[in-house]
Amino acid sequence: MSETQARLRKSRRYLEMAWHDYRDGFCEGAVAHAYYAMFHAAKAFLELNDAFPRTHKGVILQLGQYVKLGTLSKEEVRSITHGLTARVKCDYDVEVVLDKEEVSDLLGEAEHFVDKIEEVIKAAYR
């Protein structure tokens, strides 16, 4: 499970960087780091389940199967979708106007998502 643990550690580091960016006024960086925190947590979970999506959208589509199984909620999958949309906007739009409260909400969603993935992994592999 060392690859999984490495991904989860990376996920936590990205989450921490997101909060640092947010506190320092770098909302675009906070959005990107929040998304990648969710992305790496999702990849850890999917890889443990022998799923290896090759794209960001593929990760989200694979997670949708776990909503049907009751492992994840629709809201949790919406969080990573929201994160991807916001990250793409920040990365590619030239003039991005971000509402600080909206960014804070995304960071809260990311924190919840990472917590949930860690909880599911721990429960499945005790």
Side-chain angles (χ1 to χ4, degrees):
M1 205 158 98
S2 63
E3 173 95 12
T4 300
Q5 291 169 337
R7 276 202 185 274
L8 291 175
R9 279 193 305 275
K10 186 169 193 150
S11 176
R12 282 286 167 197
R13 278 196 316 275
Y14 271 95
L15 198 52
E16 189 176 327
M17 287 187 282
W19 283 110
H20 282 283
D21 286 345
Y22 176 76
R23 283 191 296 273
D24 290 342
F26 299 107
C27 288
E28 291 173 0
V31 167
H33 285 127
Y35 168 70
Y36 279 109
M38 291 186 278
F39 175 78
H40 285 290
K43 289 280 284 183
F45 171 72
L46 291 171
E47 288 171 3
L48 274 177
N49 288 286
D50 293 321
F52 301 91
R54 293 182 288 156
T55 65
H56 292 267
K57 272 202 164 174
V59 167
I60 292 168
L61 289 172
Q62 290 280 328
L63 289 174
Q65 295 178 0
Y66 294 92
V67 171
K68 293 174 189 169
L69 296 172
T71 307
L72 298 172
S73 70
K74 286 181 184 178
E75 291 76 24
E76 287 155 348
V77 176
R78 279 191 201 118
S79 292
I80 192 171
T81 303
H82 177 217
L84 176 60
T85 302
R87 189 213 33 107
V88 168
K89 178 181 175 182
C90 287
D91 283 353
Y92 298 106
D93 288 2
V94 177
E95 291 190 34
V96 179
V97 178
L98 296 171
D99 177 70
K100 200 159 171 128
E101 187 174 322
E102 187 179 334
V103 175
S104 177
D105 290 346
L106 177 62
L107 270 59
E109 290 175 31
E111 201 153 22
H112 172 79
F113 183 88
V114 172
D115 288 345
K116 176 65 176 191
I117 294 294
E118 286 178 338
E119 173 188 311
V120 168
I121 288 172
K122 286 177 185 168
Y125 295 94
R126 285 185 188 185

